[in-house]
Amino acid sequence: MPTVLITGANRGIGLEFTKQYAADGWKVIATARDPGRADALKAVPGVQVEALEVTDDASVAALAKKLAGTKIDVLLNNAGISGPRGFAIGEWDFKAWEEVLSVNAVAPLRVTQAFLPHVEASAMKQVVFISSRMASITLNGGGSAFYRSSKTALNMAVSCLALEVKDRGVTCTVMHPGWVKTDMGGPGADITTAESVSGLRKVIGGLDIAKTGKFFNYDGAEFPW
């Protein structure tokens, strides 16, 4: 069966990805900053749980070395934060903004660079990045500048990456999971994690190199940049 590595797998969408892929018989490598506190993740049968701090070079390099020789069919960059919201211009907390950019825009590329050899050695050769429709400049409705800009930066970086690795047969895509009932999305969101992940997995299952560099909704619709 294929192998998937999931970042930020201890809760929300990442945990649901872990449950669904494991239930379908995939080999799942699920990561969390502190596995000792990830009780729900460790309760999923048959899952390999690993420690990973996506913002730390040494942590990422150590796990990539530990998994040397492992073929990763789908590298799923899910870890992210919302950061503080509601700042008006003149009140922006630039340290907080830097943290959001570090986690949401820089860290996924750090992880991808480290694990690209593992992906290239696999059959499916897919790298998926969980982004947001809030990254779309075309659809921008204002507000949440820190979060929006971090995901926009991620999208651009992935667009560049997709062009660079296309001739290696590696597919890179960014995806919007929907407005999901998680800690980040809140209880008033539109869909459950199960609905989101089921849709995302269907999109992932239909990916090929012709779709590299694209921005998809969880229902398969393509978003404008």
Side-chain angles (χ1 to χ4, degrees):
M1 293 297 289
T3 297
V4 58
L5 188 152
I6 305 166
T7 66
N10 58 303
R11 62 180 181 173
I13 293 170
L15 180 59
E16 184 63 27
F17 267 121
T18 299
K19 292 177 178 178
Q20 290 196 22
Y21 275 120
D24 281 353
W26 283 51
K27 178 179 179 181
V28 180
I29 304 169
T31 73
R33 284 184 296 175
D34 185 0
R37 300 175 61 185
D39 293 339
L41 178 59
K42 291 187 293 183
V44 182
V47 172
Q48 179 179 341
V49 179
E50 298 286 353
L52 181 65
E53 172 50 75
V54 295
T55 62
D56 183 73
D57 289 335
S59 177
V60 174
L63 184 57
K65 182 177 180 179
K66 180 178 181 178
L67 297 177
T70 300
K71 299 177 182 179
I72 297 174
D73 292 275
V74 179
L75 174 59
L76 214 166
N77 287 288
N78 167 73
I81 60 174
S82 61
R85 302 185 185 187
F87 288 107
I89 188 66
E91 302 173 350
W92 285 9
D93 181 336
F94 291 101
K95 285 295 183 183
W97 192 3
E98 287 172 2
E99 180 184 9
V100 176
L101 287 166
S102 176
V103 176
N104 291 353
V106 178
L109 277 298
R110 175 185 289 108
V111 171
T112 300
Q113 177 174 271
F115 286 95
L116 194 58
H118 306 69
V119 174
E120 287 187 80
S122 75
M124 294 176 65
K125 296 182 175 63
Q126 293 183 11
V127 187
V128 176
F129 300 79
I130 300 301
S131 184
S132 171
R133 66 170 287 153
M134 293 176 74
S136 172
I137 294 174
T138 301
L139 301 177
N140 183 22
S144 302
F146 298 177
Y147 183 75
R148 287 182 187 275
S149 63
S150 71
K151 291 299 189 178
T152 304
L154 171 66
N155 286 9
M156 176 55 80
V158 174
S159 179
C160 294
L161 174 67
L163 293 171
E164 187 167 341
V165 300
K166 184 175 182 179
D167 63 352
R168 305 186 203 179
V170 177
T171 300
C172 300
T173 50
V174 291
M175 296 187 184
H176 171 59
W179 185 20
V180 189
K181 295 177 181 178
T182 61
D183 290 344
M184 185 184 295
D190 292 333
I191 59 174
T192 65
T193 55
E195 291 170 321
S196 172
V197 170
S198 293
L200 289 166
R201 289 186 59 217
K202 185 176 181 180
V203 178
I204 292 168
L207 292 176
D208 56 36
I209 198 65
K211 295 178 180 177
T212 195
K214 294 185 179 295
F215 183 11
F216 293 106
N217 192 26
Y218 77 99
D219 64 2
E222 191 172 346
F223 270 125
W225 293 94

